[in-house]
Amino acid sequence: MMGKVTLRNLAAHKIRLVLTAVAVILGVAFVAGTLIFTDSMNKQFDDLFSRVGKNVAVDVRAKQVVDGDDDGTAAQPVPASVLTTLRGIDGVKNPQGNVTGYAAVVGKDGKVVGTPQNGPPQIGANWTNGGSYDLSAGHAPQGPSEIVLDEKTAEKGKLGVGDTARVLTSGAPRQMRIVGLIDAGNLMGATFTGFDTATAQKLLLKPGYFTDIEMGSTGPSQTELRDRVAKALPGDLEAVTGEKLREESKSDIATMMNFFRTFLLAFALISIFVGAFIIFNTFSMLVAQRTRELALLRAVGAARAQVTRAVIGEAVAVGVVGSTLGLLAGAGLASLLQSQVGDAGDGGLTFTATPVIWSYVVGIVVTVVSAYFPARRAAKIPPVAAMRDDVALPQRSMRIRIALGSLLTLVGAALIAVGLGGGGGNPVVPVGAGAFAVFIGVAMLAPVISVPVLRLLGAAPARLMGSPGRLAQQNALRNPRRTAATAAALMIGLALITTVNVLGATMRASIDSQVDAQFGADYLVLPKGAGGVAADVEQKVKAVPGVQSASSTYEGDAKIAGKKVSYMSGDPAVIGKAARLKMVSGGTDLGAAGIMVDEDTADDNHWKVGSAVPVTFPDGKTERLTVAGVFTKSDLIGPRLMSTQMYLRHTVKPSVDGVVVDTAATNTATKTALESALKDHPDLTVFDQSALKDEARKQVDGFVTFLTILLVMSVIIAAVGVINTLALSVIERTREIGLLRAIGISRRQLRRMIRLESIMIAVFGAVLGMAIGVAFGAALQNALADEGLGVLAVPYGTLVVYLVVAAVIGVLAALWPAWRAGRMDVLKAIATE
């Protein structure tokens, strides 16, 4: 019997439940889309790595000395003489040396092919017959002026066999002829430029050396052959199996994709969390409106458990429908995500059981859990209530709610403080748990907060718009719990969006402050991608009229006291002036074996001028450096500065990170002259102080926009919640609306009343959310003040825009409920019980 009751109720309230299902659909779509997208990308990477090194049994490479020096590429390369040794080992088949590095090609439009800025790499390598790829046109490169390109790179640059193209490496640009194209399949957006081995060694590494040497096997297993090869190698080299080599490559990608999946799922969970408020609110209102019906069921013999199961059954149905539609929408979202990652998304979607399982688990569980407490309240309705004219569900005392809400808010704030305090461990867990507790706590306190806030928000409409304004205010205040639950959904979304915007404004203000305080150079030459600055750029810059000084800067890794550390190197006098360095003690004369450190590093290690510091470099060599000077903290230099000679002595293929430039005058003519001198380097940009700020702001703005877009889903779900609440509220007040119409209120006034009520609820949620967001943003800034966020900035203009957007959401959410209320038949509405 109760099953039939459940089905009947679903049919009777289908519009309301469809609106509720929208919250489930949107949340599940985010989860399903994320899982489908990452599964698809993982499949494409697996296909890519299955082709790379497929015939490799053993690989010989340099041992990793400094953690993070992946596969030893920064260490000493492998001498070509090792090939002779390997050929003499029983079981080794066709050993070949590989050379890899940075190489980019300039297309016919004068632009570098590919988008290396935080994107796929631009790979240069030696071409070997029988390698991972096959030629699809032309022939292999022969000699110092020939290259081969992958087909997609050639297509993007509008280049073909026989064309001459400018090739960029860490040396001077070179004009080289394209003699062949290779079928590399889907390189996930990366570009490939192949040279003959001698040219690759000269341009990408070092003559007579390889990055690594790979070989096949004539019979022994990979493990057995690895052991044989390892015995014949010098101590600074190691042998690994081909299987391990491929697993390491896959592991790096898997780590990146797992982070991306976790990142997106965090926003999906936010949307689901917001949706839970909507579902809870909807079922609470449905139960309240069906009090007499549920009491009659109890009167005719239905047990409490049966009533509970009937309401839960409705929730399960909503969850199943919402999960199914959400899964379909998720596939569309995954396709949209793939379209935004360029060539990396060309492989199509991959469907596994994981998104399906999690879509239904998340959709059904969240719906059922959200509907559980309203179902419990429905079961507690006494049978005698069926005989009363005025039936209402009993409300619990606000004292317990206030006490619990206050406790959760305080505990959440404490957890956030612990997480941001840097006490060790992973801060994400306490910060996330703290934010969750704060949201729940504030949502519980919202009914109490809503009364004074809504009185304030409704004061102007009540005075300026007469009866509709007063009635709207009274309706919003009539059920503070319901109003608070509706506003809480919008509160969460806008709280997080506000936090992101406060953090973005803080980052922009802090960067401006840092550049003003620490950037003393007139110009800075930086690469657009990961290839670095060519070695000849410094001399070209120095030759520009008006340039007084210029110095290349380098960044390297080393090991001090057993820990990986980073350092900058370059001309200390020029860099010190460019960074407006303030010395605490000592000076900038590093000599042959000196190091400068900031005062925090000196204090942490108990160093002073003259202290000896053993430093191990990626090539495995250790030098005993002397502290020549201690300087105040500099975000532009970092904690350590070494001489250019020290960096070059321990680096196989130096990579210039930038060039700092001082000129006699900073004007348009000087900047134009610098850009003209570097016209052969389209991968470089000349920045003055203003342009450097603008570039940093662009990156921050991109970051803020990306996060805001991800959070907009939760705001959309919240808007659906406002629609749902108002629609149910109109149905609940059918008789009241009929009476208002009977005593003379017009349809226009009625619609205005509902719109004003919606706006008040939406603006209340926005005000509450923005207040929490500003508090979260200030807490983050305070915790990260020593990490470069020294200036707190609140984007008041943006917050005003969000307040207006919240009011617009209120207007849009009220359109359908207001239209429905205005169409009611007066007599039928008055006759409604």
Side-chain angles (χ1 to χ4, degrees):
M1 180 187 75
M2 297 308 295
K4 293 181 180 179
V5 171
T6 298
L7 294 174
R8 184 182 63 80
N9 286 329
L10 286 170
H13 307 120
K14 49 183 175 292
I15 296 179
R16 301 171 234 175
L17 293 174
V18 164
L19 286 172
T20 308
V22 170
V24 183
I25 292 168
L26 294 177
V28 169
F30 215 148
V31 173
T34 298
L35 295 176
I36 293 172
F37 171 70
T38 51
D39 283 347
S40 301
M41 296 300 292
N42 281 328
K43 175 65 165 54
Q44 292 180 54
F45 278 117
D46 286 345
D47 291 344
L48 174 63
F49 288 121
S50 67
R51 295 184 62 182
V52 177
K54 57 185 176 182
N55 298 320
V56 177
V58 174
D59 188 78
V60 172
R61 63 190 185 186
K63 287 183 178 178
Q64 180 174 301
V65 177
V66 177
D67 296 337
D69 171 25
D70 297 332
D71 66 29
T73 53
Q76 285 295 101
V78 180
S81 59
V82 174
L83 272 173
T84 305
T85 303
L86 294 174
R87 292 190 181 104
I89 298 175
D90 185 33
V92 170
K93 177 183 178 182
N94 191 28
Q96 290 188 332
N98 296 320
V99 182
T100 57
Y102 163 76
V105 175
V106 179
K108 287 192 174 180
D109 60 358
K111 297 180 180 180
V112 179
V113 179
T115 52
Q117 187 70 37
N118 300 319
Q122 295 175 303
I123 302 169
N126 63 320
W127 173 260
T128 56
N129 293 323
S132 301
Y133 308 121
D134 298 319
L135 282 168
S136 60
H139 61 82
Q142 300 169 359
S145 62
E146 296 184 350
I147 58 170
V148 293
L149 298 178
D150 69 276
E151 293 174 329
K152 288 192 175 181
T153 297
E155 180 183 351
K156 291 176 184 175
K158 294 181 171 53
L159 300 168
V161 175
D163 289 338
T164 299
R166 197 185 329 161
V167 179
L168 307 176
T169 62
S170 59
R174 298 166 65 97
Q175 295 291 333
M176 305 186 78
R177 189 163 61 91
I178 302 169
V179 298
L181 300 178
I182 64 170
D183 177 14
N186 185 7
L187 285 176
M188 311 296 286
T191 65
F192 179 90
T193 306
F195 310 84
D196 68 32
T197 296
T199 304
Q201 289 173 326
K202 179 180 179 182
L203 298 180
L204 308 179
L205 190 63
K206 186 177 181 181
Y209 288 85
F210 297 108
T211 304
D212 65 309
I213 299 175
E214 61 184 34
M215 66 210 74
S217 173
T218 60
S221 67
Q222 291 190 6
T223 304
E224 183 180 352
L225 185 60
R226 177 202 61 194
D227 294 340
R228 292 182 188 178
V229 170
K231 292 178 182 179
L233 296 176
D236 58 344
L237 300 180
E238 66 176 356
V240 296
T241 64
E243 186 63 31
K244 181 180 179 182
L245 192 67
R246 287 184 285 274
E247 287 301 321
E248 286 178 351
S249 299
K250 290 182 180 180
S251 176
D252 292 339
I253 296 298
T255 300
M256 179 188 72
M257 291 307 299
N258 286 338
F259 170 79
F260 191 60
R261 173 180 288 194
T262 302
F263 179 77
L264 289 179
L265 284 177
F267 289 90
L269 290 176
I270 291 169
S271 296
I272 291 168
F273 183 42
V274 171
F277 279 86
I278 309 305
I279 298 165
F280 172 82
N281 213 20
T282 301
F283 275 92
S284 294
M285 294 182 72
L286 287 175
V287 167
Q289 291 175 14
R290 289 156 48 195
T291 302
R292 175 171 290 182
E293 172 192 328
L294 296 172
L296 283 171
L297 288 175
R298 293 280 286 115
V300 298
R304 284 188 174 186
Q306 288 178 303
V307 174
T308 301
R309 284 198 298 269
V311 178
I312 291 295
E314 296 176 34
V316 170
V318 171
V320 170
V321 172
S323 298
T324 303
L325 296 178
L327 181 59
L328 296 175
L333 179 61
S335 181
L336 179 63
L337 287 172
Q338 276 201 332
S339 69
Q340 300 302 308
V341 294
D343 292 338
D346 287 348
L349 296 179
T350 298
F351 294 93
T352 65
T354 302
V356 178
I357 293 171
W358 278 109
S359 294
Y360 282 99
V361 168
V362 169
I364 294 172
V365 169
V366 169
T367 309
V368 170
V369 169
S370 302
Y372 175 74
F373 289 104
R376 283 283 305 275
R377 292 173 64 197
K380 293 179 180 179
I381 298 173
V384 72
M387 295 180 287
R388 295 174 55 191
D389 291 328
D390 184 19
V391 184
L393 288 174
Q395 298 285 352
R396 290 186 177 180
S397 169
M398 293 289 286
R399 292 180 181 177
I400 297 176
R401 187 185 186 105
I402 293 172
L404 187 56
S406 301
L407 179 61
L408 283 172
T409 304
L410 292 173
V411 169
L415 286 171
I416 292 173
V418 169
L420 295 178
N426 184 2
V428 174
V429 175
V431 170
F436 178 80
V438 167
F439 283 136
I440 296 295
V442 174
M444 295 183 74
L445 294 172
V448 180
I449 302 172
S450 68
V451 175
V453 175
L454 288 172
R455 289 190 189 281
L456 179 63
L457 292 175
R463 177 170 296 183
L464 298 176
M465 297 187 181
S467 297
R470 289 192 296 274
L471 289 170
Q473 184 187 46
Q474 291 169 11
N475 288 334
L477 289 167
R478 178 183 300 180
N479 192 332
R481 295 172 191 259
R482 180 190 303 167
T483 299
T486 306
L490 194 58
M491 170 197 76
I492 296 168
L494 281 176
L496 295 173
I497 289 176
T498 301
T499 301
V500 169
N501 279 267
V502 170
L503 191 58
T506 296
M507 292 170 68
R508 287 189 290 268
S510 298
I511 289 170
D512 287 352
S513 175
Q514 289 171 7
V515 171
D516 289 338
Q518 300 182 18
F519 186 70
D522 294 321
Y523 297 98
L524 184 62
V525 180
L526 293 176
K528 295 179 181 177
V533 177
D536 66 331
V537 168
E538 180 181 330
Q539 295 306 317
K540 289 183 178 180
V541 168
K542 286 181 177 179
V544 174
V547 171
Q548 296 178 327
S549 65
S551 173
S552 296
T553 64
Y554 306 85
E555 290 183 8
D557 293 325
K559 188 179 287 186
I560 297 177
K563 295 182 180 179
K564 176 187 175 182
V565 299
S566 61
Y567 67 91
M568 177 180 279
S569 69
D571 184 328
V574 176
I575 293 176
K577 180 182 177 183
R580 292 178 177 163
L581 206 61
K582 297 178 181 178
M583 300 302 298
V584 176
S585 59
T588 60
D589 185 7
L590 296 179
I595 182 174
M596 292 168 58
V597 297
D598 66 15
E599 53 187 338
D600 288 344
T601 302
D603 292 341
D604 292 342
N605 292 277
H606 307 291
W607 294 339
K608 58 184 180 180
V609 174
S611 296
V613 182
V615 180
T616 302
F617 293 91
D619 61 0
K621 297 178 181 178
T622 300
E623 298 227 20
R624 195 175 181 86
L625 306 185
T626 302
V627 177
V630 178
F631 54 87
T632 58
K633 182 177 180 179
S634 170
D635 295 302
L636 296 179
I637 289 181
R640 303 165 194 85
L641 179 64
M642 299 184 197
S643 67
T644 302
Q645 294 80 0
M646 187 62 64
Y647 170 82
L648 296 177
R649 190 184 306 166
H650 299 284
T651 305
V652 177
K653 194 65 180 177
S655 176
V656 180
D657 288 285
V659 179
V660 293
V661 185
D662 273 328
T663 60
T666 54
N667 50 42
T668 303
T670 302
K671 188 175 182 180
T672 301
L674 286 169
E675 291 172 340
S676 178
L678 302 178
K679 63 182 179 180
D680 290 338
H681 299 270
D683 57 340
L684 301 180
T685 304
V686 179
F687 292 98
D688 56 19
Q689 189 176 89
S690 176
L692 195 61
K693 288 180 181 179
D694 289 341
E695 181 65 19
R697 290 193 199 105
K698 285 180 184 177
Q699 295 184 18
V700 172
D701 289 343
F703 167 75
V704 170
T705 301
F706 175 64
L707 293 185
T708 301
I709 290 173
L710 292 177
L711 288 167
V712 162
M713 182 75 80
S714 63
V715 176
I716 294 173
I717 294 174
V720 171
V722 177
I723 297 172
N724 222 0
T725 298
L726 288 174
L728 291 170
S729 179
V730 166
I731 294 170
E732 186 180 77
R733 304 197 310 252
T734 299
R735 191 165 187 269
E736 174 188 319
I737 290 171
L739 290 171
L740 288 173
R741 293 278 289 117
I743 63 174
I745 192 170
S746 67
R747 287 179 175 172
R748 175 179 290 183
Q749 288 176 313
L750 184 63
R751 295 191 189 105
R752 183 178 299 166
M753 176 192 76
I754 294 173
R755 282 197 299 270
L756 289 172
E757 180 184 352
S758 178
I759 291 171
M760 288 180 197
I761 294 173
V763 171
F764 168 58
V767 169
L768 204 56
M770 288 190 293
I772 295 172
V774 170
F776 280 0
L780 284 168
Q781 184 274 328
N782 184 65
L784 300 174
D786 292 336
E787 304 299 324
L789 296 184
V791 181
L792 174 64
V794 179
Y796 294 105
T798 302
L799 297 188
V800 170
V801 171
Y802 287 156
L803 203 60
V804 173
V805 169
V808 172
I809 288 173
V811 172
L812 296 176
L815 289 178
W816 179 59
W819 173 79
R820 182 170 182 173
R823 290 181 68 249
M824 283 185 182
D825 183 276
V826 176
L827 295 178
K828 289 182 179 179
I830 294 173
T832 301
E833 294 185 2

